[in-house]
């Protein structure tokens, strides 16, 4: 069984509700948007992980009394 993607259109003036299947172009557009969103989310997650690693490194160096790199120093918020 194949699910049919449906668009729901509501005429705000009359309140008329119309349901129709999405066109091939609308489906393709949704797929492109979903792929772009997944790419942005992966980049965001990677940046968050890199920042967490950098902060952990800075904290460990502060505890050990070793010098921080400039990048590590920037992560410290006073």
């Amino acid at each position: 069984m194949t699910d049919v993607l449906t668009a729901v259109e509501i005429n705000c003036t009359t309140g008329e509700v119309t349901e129709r299947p999405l066109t091939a172009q609308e489906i393709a557009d949704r797929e492109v948007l979903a792929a772009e969103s997944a790419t942005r989310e992966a980049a965001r997650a990677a940046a968050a992980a890199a920042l967490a690693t950098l902060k952990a490194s800075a904290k460990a160096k502060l505890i050990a009394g070793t010098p921080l790199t400039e990048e590590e120093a920037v992560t410290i918020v006073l």
Side-chain angles (χ1 to χ4, degrees):
M1 180 175 152
T2 303
D3 291 331
V4 176
L5 297 175
T6 305
V8 177
E9 299 171 347
I10 302 171
N11 182 322
C12 294
T13 304
T14 64
E16 178 184 1
V17 177
T18 305
E19 290 186 29
R20 62 171 179 77
L22 292 181
T23 64
Q25 183 61 49
E26 289 170 326
I27 293 169
D29 291 346
R30 282 174 42 100
E31 290 171 356
V32 167
L33 290 174
E36 289 172 352
S37 178
T39 300
R40 280 192 308 274
E41 177 56 25
R44 187 210 57 79
L51 181 60
T53 300
L54 195 59
K55 285 184 177 185
S57 173
K59 182 178 178 180
K61 285 183 178 180
L62 282 173
I63 291 170
T66 57
L68 301 177
T69 66
E70 183 178 347
E71 192 177 25
E72 290 168 331
V74 169
T75 66
I76 298 173
V77 178
L78 301 176

